[in-house]
């Protein structure tokens, strides 16, 4: 990273993530820390562009309210392992809005890649289990 990437900008990105992520199922996130052509990938989605990025977070909030009586995004840690990388470690847990009150639970991590200016241009999510295994949690036990 060059001198164009002041430490204060990276600190602002980390602080924004720490503030935004724990409430992403209730409140919209701050989009000013992302480039307009942000690339996002998780085990079920892959797209590019800030408009699509906004839609994925709107969809998360919509589905959280529609399908869950409780849902949480527990942020465990945010760190900077490399000058151009930020990592976040988290757990999603919730109670599905069904008579048997199915419990959702999975862990994951997010890897954010930074431009020289300190904006996120790449967001890769990994989950500790396959999407099919997560969906099985919704079935009666």
């Amino acid at each position: 990273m060059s001198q164009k990437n002041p430490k204060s900008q990276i600190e602002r990105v980390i602080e924004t993530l720490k503030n935004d992520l724990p409430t992403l199922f209730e409140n919209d996130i701050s989009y000013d820390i992302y480039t307009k052509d942000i690339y996002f990938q998780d085990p079920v989605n892959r797209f590019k562009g800030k408009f699509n990025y906004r839609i994925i977070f709107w969809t998360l909030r919509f589905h959280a309210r529609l399908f869950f009586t409780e849902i949480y995004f527990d942020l465990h840690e945010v760190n900077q392992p490399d000058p151009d990388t930020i990592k976040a470690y988290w757990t999603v847990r919730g109670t599905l809005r069904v008579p048997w009150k199915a419990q959702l639970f999975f862990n994951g991590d997010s890897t954010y890649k930074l431009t020289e200016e300190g904006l996120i241009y790449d967001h890769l999510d990994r989950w500790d289990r396959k999407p099919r295994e997560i969906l099985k949690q919704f079935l009666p036990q």
Side-chain angles (χ1 to χ4, degrees):
M1 293 230 152
S2 72
Q3 295 291 28
K4 292 181 189 173
N5 192 358
K7 187 173 180 173
S8 63
Q9 169 60 14
I10 294 172
E11 289 169 350
R12 188 175 80 79
V13 169
I14 290 171
E15 200 57 36
T16 300
L17 291 170
K18 285 181 178 179
N19 289 330
D20 284 354
L21 295 178
T23 61
L24 66 80
F25 289 120
E26 297 93 42
N27 304 311
D28 206 1
I29 63 166
S30 306
Y31 295 99
D32 62 335
I33 62 170
Y34 304 93
T35 62
K36 69 178 186 334
D37 60 348
I38 174 80
Y39 175 77
F40 175 81
Q41 182 177 337
D42 71 12
V44 294
N45 300 290
R46 177 182 302 176
F47 57 80
K48 195 168 191 156
K50 198 182 282 191
F51 179 76
N52 294 323
Y53 200 65
R54 291 179 84 105
I55 288 172
I56 198 81
F57 283 97
W58 180 87
T59 303
L60 284 171
R61 288 190 311 279
F62 178 78
H63 287 122
R65 290 182 181 119
L66 187 63
F67 295 118
F68 292 86
T69 57
E70 296 180 309
I71 189 161
Y72 303 97
F73 189 95
D74 299 325
L75 183 62
H76 305 298
E77 182 183 356
V78 178
N79 62 40
Q80 185 183 4
D82 298 306
D84 67 342
T85 306
I86 295 172
K87 293 278 292 186
Y89 301 89
W90 44 265
T91 299
V92 172
R93 60 188 174 88
T95 304
L96 202 61
R97 195 181 299 279
V98 290
W100 54 92
K101 297 183 176 17
Q103 298 296 304
L104 171 73
F105 184 94
F106 66 98
N107 296 298
D109 63 73
S110 300
T111 302
Y112 302 96
K113 292 301 222 172
L114 301 168
T115 64
E116 287 190 2
E117 295 75 33
L119 293 175
I120 297 170
Y121 71 88
D122 190 270
H123 173 178
L124 172 64
D125 277 359
R126 294 183 315 160
W127 303 346
D128 69 347
R129 56 198 81 179
K130 294 183 183 338
R132 181 183 326 238
E133 294 170 32
I134 293 170
L135 286 174
K136 283 182 182 175
Q137 296 178 33
F138 295 180
L139 302 174
Q141 299 300 320

